[in-house]
Amino acid sequence: RQEVLVKKGWDRHLALFARIKAEHLSGDETDRDEHGKKLHPPSFTVVESAWQSKKYKSLMRKLVAWYNEDWKNPTVDGDYKGGNGPRQRNYTGKVANVAAPKGLWRNCYSKRWKAKLKPHQLQALEMIDEDYDFTL
């Protein structure tokens, strides 16, 4: 996703990515057939993180779509990656509680998730009391 930001000149979003680690992101589960075997070509069900707001998830999905499009249609010699293509991701609404990153803008966090937190947990987030501009 960061590669897309740099390539498209959307550098202002790099500050958001600098605050997020791999353990904060959504996960992928390998999809399997009725016999438990991996599907071919492989596909994955996305397990979204409960802390992520709809606007945050929307930005991430847009970046994945841009990456997939660039991979399928390389315009410059260096764009061609070869090998296996991007993961086929299925969004089913499956959600997991994972650690949330500290220090994000308030609209990066799900309102429903924040409402379940205790006051000391909200304070520990060190949330920026402004809305993030998710536009590309």
Side-chain angles (χ1 to χ4, degrees), residues 1-7 9-20 59-60 63 104-105 132-133 136:
R1 295 173 190 150
Q2 287 179 325
E3 180 181 329
V4 173
L5 294 175
V6 172
K7 185 176 177 181
W10 297 325
D11 295 351
R12 68 183 181 80
H13 292 295
L14 292 174
L16 174 62
F17 275 79
R19 297 167 186 259
I20 299 170
L59 174 65
M60 296 303 127
L63 295 176
L104 298 185
W105 294 259
Y132 187 79
D133 179 5
L136 294 175

Side-chain angles (χ1 to χ4, degrees), residues 51 61 78-79 87 92 108 117 130:
W51 66 265
R61 289 180 185 178
D79 285 352
R87 287 183 168 196
T92 64
C108 294
L117 298 179
E130 297 175 7

Side-chain angles (χ1 to χ4, degrees), residues 109-121:
Y109 302 106
S110 161
K111 288 179 183 179
R112 179 180 291 161
W113 179 81
K114 285 188 295 186
K116 295 177 183 178
L117 298 179
K118 294 178 173 80
H120 72 278
Q121 292 172 313

Side-chain angles (χ1 to χ4, degrees), residues 23 27 31 34 38-39 41 43 52-53 60 62-63 67 79-80 82-84 86 91 98 109-110 113-114 118 126 133:
E23 62 263 25
D31 292 335
E34 62 274 3
K38 290 182 184 178
L39 298 176
S43 67
Q52 298 172 344
S53 71
M60 296 303 127
K62 287 176 187 175
L63 295 176
Y67 176 83
D79 285 352
Y80 182 71
N84 292 331
Y91 296 94
V98 299
Y109 302 106
S110 161
W113 179 81
K114 285 188 295 186
K118 294 178 173 80
E126 300 173 9
D133 179 5

Side-chain angles (χ1 to χ4, degrees), residues 38-53:
K38 290 182 184 178
L39 298 176
H40 194 72
S43 67
F44 301 86
T45 295
V46 175
V47 181
E48 297 177 317
S49 301
W51 66 265
Q52 298 172 344
S53 71

